[in-house]
Amino acid sequence: MNPVVTPETISLVTGDEPLVELLTKPGCPVCHIIPGIPGATGQVGPPLVLGTTGPQRINDPGYRGQAKTVHEYIVESVLEPQRFVVQGYPEKTMPTWYGSKLSALALEKIASYLERQTEGSSAP
Ligand code: HEC
């Protein structure tokens, strides 16, 4: 795992930060492409275009999580990444401690942003 993203190096994200910081402070760009976020070109995890991929995940026959909406799926994926491991990507790689570093407000804002991103906008 990338040593840059450890609980020790990440400070609490309160949710009052500007949007770009909400995603860069916790290190998401290290592993993910995120449309609209400068430098978010990580290739370790899937591109965060949940407007396109979210419905596919929830409808996947292998999905065992509890999310009914894409918004819920994003929150679940951040808090409990082991619930559903996207095919073709490594398990036990996405940090499991974000629940202690992201406030409920921060999570809410992150999910609201990511659920609106679609594949067409995924070019870095
Ligand atoms: C060290 C690498 C790493 C970091 C840092 C990381 N992720 Fe991930 N993430 C992954 C991997 C690998 C997967 C795919 C495997 C899985 O589903 O657990 C994933 C999956 C996801 C998914 C599910 C995507 C889908 O297409 O279904 C979401 C949502 C997500 N990450 C959001 C985030 C957010 C938000 C952050 C920052 C707060 C973040 N990740 C930080 C590696 C990372």
Side-chain angles (χ1 to χ4, degrees), residues 94-124:
M94 166 122 178
T96 52
W97 40 260
Y98 277 132
S100 65
K101 293 291 177 175
L102 301 173
S103 73
L105 178 65
L107 258 177
E108 219 20 57
K109 288 186 175 175
I110 288 173
S112 297
Y113 180 74
L114 295 181
E115 71 184 338
R116 282 186 278 115
Q117 306 311 310
T118 53
E119 214 138 62
S121 55
S122 71

CSV table of all heavy atoms in Angstrom, one decimal, residues 94-124:
chain,number,residue,atom,x,y,z
A,94,MET,N,-7.7,-0.5,-0.3
A,94,MET,CA,-8.3,0.8,0.1
A,94,MET,C,-8.3,0.8,1.6
A,94,MET,O,-8.6,-0.1,2.3
A,94,MET,CB,-9.7,0.8,-0.4
A,94,MET,CG,-10.6,1.8,0.2
A,94,MET,SD,-11.3,3.0,-1.0
A,94,MET,CE,-12.2,4.0,0.2
A,95,PRO,N,-7.8,1.9,2.2
A,95,PRO,CA,-7.7,2.0,3.7
A,95,PRO,C,-9.1,1.8,4.3
A,95,PRO,O,-10.1,2.1,3.8
A,95,PRO,CB,-7.3,3.5,3.9
A,95,PRO,CG,-6.7,3.9,2.6
A,95,PRO,CD,-7.3,3.2,1.5
A,96,THR,N,-9.1,1.1,5.5
A,96,THR,CA,-10.3,0.8,6.2
A,96,THR,C,-10.6,1.7,7.4
A,96,THR,O,-11.5,1.5,8.1
A,96,THR,CB,-10.2,-0.7,6.7
A,96,THR,OG1,-9.0,-0.8,7.5
A,96,THR,CG2,-10.2,-1.7,5.6
A,97,TRP,N,-9.7,2.7,7.6
A,97,TRP,CA,-9.8,3.6,8.7
A,97,TRP,C,-10.4,5.0,8.4
A,97,TRP,O,-10.4,5.9,9.3
A,97,TRP,CB,-8.5,3.7,9.4
A,97,TRP,CG,-7.3,3.9,8.4
A,97,TRP,CD1,-6.5,2.9,8.0
A,97,TRP,CD2,-7.0,5.1,7.7
A,97,TRP,NE1,-5.6,3.4,7.1
A,97,TRP,CE2,-5.9,4.7,6.9
A,97,TRP,CE3,-7.5,6.4,7.6
A,97,TRP,CZ2,-5.2,5.6,6.0
A,97,TRP,CZ3,-6.8,7.3,6.8
A,97,TRP,CH2,-5.7,6.9,6.0
A,98,TYR,N,-11.0,5.1,7.3
A,98,TYR,CA,-11.5,6.5,6.9
A,98,TYR,C,-12.7,6.9,7.8
A,98,TYR,O,-12.9,8.1,8.0
A,98,TYR,CB,-12.0,6.5,5.5
A,98,TYR,CG,-10.8,6.8,4.5
A,98,TYR,CD1,-10.7,6.0,3.4
A,98,TYR,CD2,-9.9,7.8,4.7
A,98,TYR,CE1,-9.6,6.3,2.5
A,98,TYR,CE2,-8.9,8.1,3.9
A,98,TYR,CZ,-8.7,7.3,2.7
A,98,TYR,OH,-7.7,7.5,1.9
A,99,GLY,N,-13.4,5.9,8.4
A,99,GLY,CA,-14.4,6.3,9.3
A,99,GLY,C,-14.0,7.2,10.5
A,99,GLY,O,-14.7,8.0,11.0
A,100,SER,N,-12.7,7.1,10.8
A,100,SER,CA,-12.2,7.8,11.9
A,100,SER,C,-11.5,9.2,11.5
A,100,SER,O,-11.1,10.0,12.3
A,100,SER,CB,-11.1,7.0,12.7
A,100,SER,OG,-10.0,6.8,11.9
A,101,LYS,N,-11.5,9.4,10.2
A,101,LYS,CA,-10.8,10.6,9.7
A,101,LYS,C,-11.7,11.5,8.9
A,101,LYS,O,-11.4,12.6,8.6
A,101,LYS,CB,-9.6,10.2,8.7
A,101,LYS,CG,-8.5,9.5,9.4
A,101,LYS,CD,-7.8,10.4,10.4
A,101,LYS,CE,-6.7,9.7,11.1
A,101,LYS,NZ,-5.9,10.6,11.9
A,102,LEU,N,-12.9,11.0,8.5
A,102,LEU,CA,-13.9,11.8,7.8
A,102,LEU,C,-15.1,12.0,8.6
A,102,LEU,O,-15.7,11.0,9.1
A,102,LEU,CB,-14.2,11.1,6.5
A,102,LEU,CG,-13.1,10.7,5.5
A,102,LEU,CD1,-13.6,9.9,4.3
A,102,LEU,CD2,-12.5,12.0,4.9
A,103,SER,N,-15.5,13.3,8.8
A,103,SER,CA,-16.7,13.6,9.5
A,103,SER,C,-17.9,13.1,8.7
A,103,SER,O,-17.8,12.9,7.5
A,103,SER,CB,-16.8,15.0,9.8
A,103,SER,OG,-17.1,15.7,8.6
A,104,ALA,N,-19.1,13.0,9.3
A,104,ALA,CA,-20.3,12.6,8.6
A,104,ALA,C,-20.6,13.6,7.5
A,104,ALA,O,-21.0,13.3,6.4
A,104,ALA,CB,-21.5,12.6,9.5
A,105,LEU,N,-20.3,14.9,7.8
A,105,LEU,CA,-20.5,16.0,6.8
A,105,LEU,C,-19.6,15.8,5.6
A,105,LEU,O,-20.0,15.9,4.4
A,105,LEU,CB,-20.3,17.3,7.4
A,105,LEU,CG,-20.5,18.5,6.4
A,105,LEU,CD1,-21.9,18.6,5.9
A,105,LEU,CD2,-20.1,19.9,7.1
A,106,ALA,N,-18.3,15.5,5.9
A,106,ALA,CA,-17.3,15.3,4.8
A,106,ALA,C,-17.7,14.1,3.9
A,106,ALA,O,-17.7,14.2,2.7
A,106,ALA,CB,-15.9,15.0,5.4
A,107,LEU,N,-18.2,13.0,4.5
A,107,LEU,CA,-18.6,11.8,3.8
A,107,LEU,C,-19.8,12.2,2.9
A,107,LEU,O,-19.9,11.7,1.7
A,107,LEU,CB,-19.0,10.8,4.8
A,107,LEU,CG,-18.1,9.6,5.0
A,107,LEU,CD1,-18.7,8.7,6.1
A,107,LEU,CD2,-17.8,8.9,3.8
A,108,GLU,N,-20.7,12.9,3.5
A,108,GLU,CA,-21.9,13.3,2.7
A,108,GLU,C,-21.5,14.1,1.5
A,108,GLU,O,-22.0,13.8,0.4
A,108,GLU,CB,-22.7,14.2,3.7
A,108,GLU,CG,-24.1,14.2,3.8
A,108,GLU,CD,-24.8,12.9,3.3
A,108,GLU,OE1,-24.5,11.8,3.8
A,108,GLU,OE2,-25.7,13.1,2.4
A,109,LYS,N,-20.7,15.1,1.7
A,109,LYS,CA,-20.3,15.9,0.5
A,109,LYS,C,-19.5,15.1,-0.5
A,109,LYS,O,-19.6,15.3,-1.7
A,109,LYS,CB,-19.4,17.1,1.0
A,109,LYS,CG,-20.2,18.1,1.8
A,109,LYS,CD,-19.3,19.3,2.1
A,109,LYS,CE,-20.1,20.5,2.8
A,109,LYS,NZ,-19.3,21.6,3.2
A,110,ILE,N,-18.6,14.2,-0.1
A,110,ILE,CA,-17.8,13.4,-1.0
A,110,ILE,C,-18.8,12.5,-1.8
A,110,ILE,O,-18.7,12.4,-3.0
A,110,ILE,CB,-16.8,12.5,-0.2
A,110,ILE,CG1,-15.7,13.4,0.3
A,110,ILE,CG2,-16.3,11.4,-1.1
A,110,ILE,CD1,-14.7,12.6,1.3
A,111,ALA,N,-19.8,11.9,-1.1
A,111,ALA,CA,-20.7,11.0,-1.8
A,111,ALA,C,-21.5,11.8,-2.8
A,111,ALA,O,-21.8,11.4,-4.0
A,111,ALA,CB,-21.6,10.3,-0.9
A,112,SER,N,-22.0,13.0,-2.4
A,112,SER,CA,-22.8,13.9,-3.3
A,112,SER,C,-22.0,14.2,-4.6
A,112,SER,O,-22.6,14.3,-5.7
A,112,SER,CB,-23.2,15.1,-2.6
A,112,SER,OG,-24.1,14.8,-1.5
A,113,TYR,N,-20.7,14.5,-4.4
A,113,TYR,CA,-19.9,14.8,-5.6
A,113,TYR,C,-19.7,13.6,-6.5
A,113,TYR,O,-19.9,13.6,-7.7
A,113,TYR,CB,-18.5,15.4,-5.1
A,113,TYR,CG,-17.7,15.8,-6.3
A,113,TYR,CD1,-17.9,16.9,-7.0
A,113,TYR,CD2,-16.6,15.0,-6.7
A,113,TYR,CE1,-17.1,17.3,-8.1
A,113,TYR,CE2,-15.7,15.4,-7.7
A,113,TYR,CZ,-16.1,16.5,-8.5
A,113,TYR,OH,-15.3,16.9,-9.5
A,114,LEU,N,-19.2,12.5,-5.9
A,114,LEU,CA,-18.8,11.3,-6.7
A,114,LEU,C,-20.0,10.7,-7.4
A,114,LEU,O,-19.9,10.2,-8.5
A,114,LEU,CB,-18.2,10.3,-5.8
A,114,LEU,CG,-16.8,10.7,-5.2
A,114,LEU,CD1,-16.2,9.6,-4.4
A,114,LEU,CD2,-15.8,11.1,-6.3
A,115,GLU,N,-21.2,10.8,-6.8
A,115,GLU,CA,-22.4,10.2,-7.5
A,115,GLU,C,-22.8,10.9,-8.8
A,115,GLU,O,-23.5,10.4,-9.6
A,115,GLU,CB,-23.6,10.0,-6.5
A,115,GLU,CG,-24.2,11.4,-6.2
A,115,GLU,CD,-25.4,11.2,-5.2
A,115,GLU,OE1,-25.9,10.1,-5.0
A,115,GLU,OE2,-25.7,12.2,-4.5
A,116,ARG,N,-22.3,12.1,-8.9
A,116,ARG,CA,-22.6,12.9,-10.1
A,116,ARG,C,-21.5,12.8,-11.2
A,116,ARG,O,-21.7,13.3,-12.3
A,116,ARG,CB,-22.7,14.4,-9.7
A,116,ARG,CG,-24.1,14.7,-9.0
A,116,ARG,CD,-24.3,16.2,-8.8
A,116,ARG,NE,-23.6,16.6,-7.6
A,116,ARG,CZ,-22.6,17.5,-7.5
A,116,ARG,NH1,-22.1,18.0,-8.6
A,116,ARG,NH2,-22.1,17.8,-6.4
A,117,GLN,N,-20.4,12.1,-10.9
A,117,GLN,CA,-19.4,12.0,-11.9
A,117,GLN,C,-19.7,10.8,-12.8
A,117,GLN,O,-20.0,9.7,-12.4
A,117,GLN,CB,-18.0,11.8,-11.3
A,117,GLN,CG,-17.7,12.9,-10.3
A,117,GLN,CD,-17.9,14.3,-10.8
A,117,GLN,OE1,-17.4,14.6,-11.9
A,117,GLN,NE2,-18.6,15.1,-10.1
A,118,THR,N,-19.5,11.0,-14.1
A,118,THR,CA,-19.8,9.9,-15.1
A,118,THR,C,-18.6,9.6,-15.9
A,118,THR,O,-17.6,10.4,-16.0
A,118,THR,CB,-21.0,10.3,-16.0
A,118,THR,OG1,-20.7,11.5,-16.6
A,118,THR,CG2,-22.3,10.4,-15.2
A,119,GLU,N,-18.6,8.4,-16.6
A,119,GLU,CA,-17.5,7.9,-17.3
A,119,GLU,C,-16.9,8.9,-18.4
A,119,GLU,O,-15.8,9.1,-18.5
A,119,GLU,CB,-17.8,6.6,-18.1
A,119,GLU,CG,-16.7,5.7,-18.1
A,119,GLU,CD,-17.1,4.2,-17.8
A,119,GLU,OE1,-18.0,3.7,-18.6
A,119,GLU,OE2,-16.7,3.7,-16.8
A,120,GLY,N,-17.8,9.6,-19.1
A,120,GLY,CA,-17.4,10.6,-20.1
A,120,GLY,C,-16.5,11.6,-19.5
A,120,GLY,O,-15.6,12.2,-20.2
A,121,SER,N,-16.6,11.9,-18.2
A,121,SER,CA,-15.8,13.0,-17.6
A,121,SER,C,-14.5,12.4,-17.0
A,121,SER,O,-13.8,13.1,-16.3
A,121,SER,CB,-16.6,13.7,-16.6
A,121,SER,OG,-17.1,12.9,-15.7
A,122,SER,N,-14.2,11.1,-17.2
A,122,SER,CA,-13.1,10.5,-16.5
A,122,SER,C,-11.7,10.7,-17.0
A,122,SER,O,-10.8,10.3,-16.4
A,122,SER,CB,-13.4,9.0,-16.3
A,122,SER,OG,-13.1,8.4,-17.6
A,123,ALA,N,-11.6,11.4,-18.2
A,123,ALA,CA,-10.3,11.7,-18.7
A,123,ALA,C,-9.5,12.6,-17.7
A,123,ALA,O,-10.1,13.6,-17.3
A,123,ALA,CB,-10.4,12.3,-20.1
A,124,PRO,N,-8.3,12.2,-17.4
A,124,PRO,CA,-7.6,13.0,-16.4
A,124,PRO,C,-7.2,14.3,-16.9
A,124,PRO,O,-7.1,14.5,-18.1
A,124,PRO,CB,-6.4,12.1,-16.1
A,124,PRO,CG,-6.3,11.1,-17.1
A,124,PRO,CD,-7.6,11.0,-17.8
